[in-house]
Amino acid sequence: MNTVVRPLADASRHGHPRPLRMLWVTLAWGSCFVAITVGLQDAPPLWLAALRALIAGVALATVAGIQRAPLPRDPKTWALIGCLGLVNIALAFTTMSSPRPDCRPGSPRCSPTRSQS
């Protein structure tokens, strides 16, 4: 049995981490929680999740267009993509945007660093 084991350093085609790219991803990822907190003041969780999925879909379609990535042609594949998007994206974004019913903003009881007993 011939198994090729690649060291972790070989996993990236670029070699070394790029700090500015890593910082940009961290800022983008972290800002979504601030945006959720602000967005929930004006929109219900489902609308906020739909807007977030729409923005992500447009960004993904733009990247795919720039890269000229081939699109699936089979309707069954599109149905599976739709189901996957509904369950993994819409449901996940909605639950992430939905506050716990017993939490109020600023309450120490709902702090993520404290365990609930």
Side-chain angles (χ1 to χ4, degrees), residues 56-99:
V58 168
L60 183 61
T62 302
V63 169
I66 291 170
Q67 293 182 346
R68 300 188 193 280
L71 297 176
R73 299 197 184 273
D74 181 24
K76 183 178 178 182
T77 303
W78 281 108
L80 290 172
I81 290 171
C83 289
L84 185 66
L86 183 65
V87 173
N88 284 355
I89 304 301
L91 185 62
F93 283 179
T94 302
T95 56
M96 187 186 306
S97 300
S98 299

Side-chain angles (χ1 to χ4, degrees), residues 17-30:
R18 296 184 175 168
L20 291 178
R21 186 178 292 177
M22 293 167 51
L23 181 62
W24 181 86
V25 169
T26 302
L27 288 173
W29 195 340

Side-chain angles (χ1 to χ4, degrees), residues 1-115:
M1 173 191 278
N2 292 337
T3 304
V4 177
V5 178
R6 297 175 192 249
L8 188 57
D10 287 345
S12 171
R13 285 188 262 168
H14 304 293
H16 300 290
R18 296 184 175 168
L20 291 178
R21 186 178 292 177
M22 293 167 51
L23 181 62
W24 181 86
V25 169
T26 302
L27 288 173
W29 195 340
S31 68
C32 80
F33 297 103
V34 174
I36 287 171
T37 303
V38 172
L40 284 174
Q41 295 173 3
D42 295 320
L46 192 57
W47 277 106
L48 196 60
L51 178 63
R52 202 170 157 201
L54 177 68
I55 292 169
V58 168
L60 183 61
T62 302
V63 169
I66 291 170
Q67 293 182 346
R68 300 188 193 280
L71 297 176
R73 299 197 184 273
D74 181 24
K76 183 178 178 182
T77 303
W78 281 108
L80 290 172
I81 290 171
C83 289
L84 185 66
L86 183 65
V87 173
N88 284 355
I89 304 301
L91 185 62
F93 283 179
T94 302
T95 56
M96 187 186 306
S97 300
S98 299
R100 287 187 17 205
D102 61 334
C103 286
R104 295 192 194 328
S107 170
R109 179 176 170 200
C110 300
S111 173
T113 57
R114 290 187 58 184
S115 62

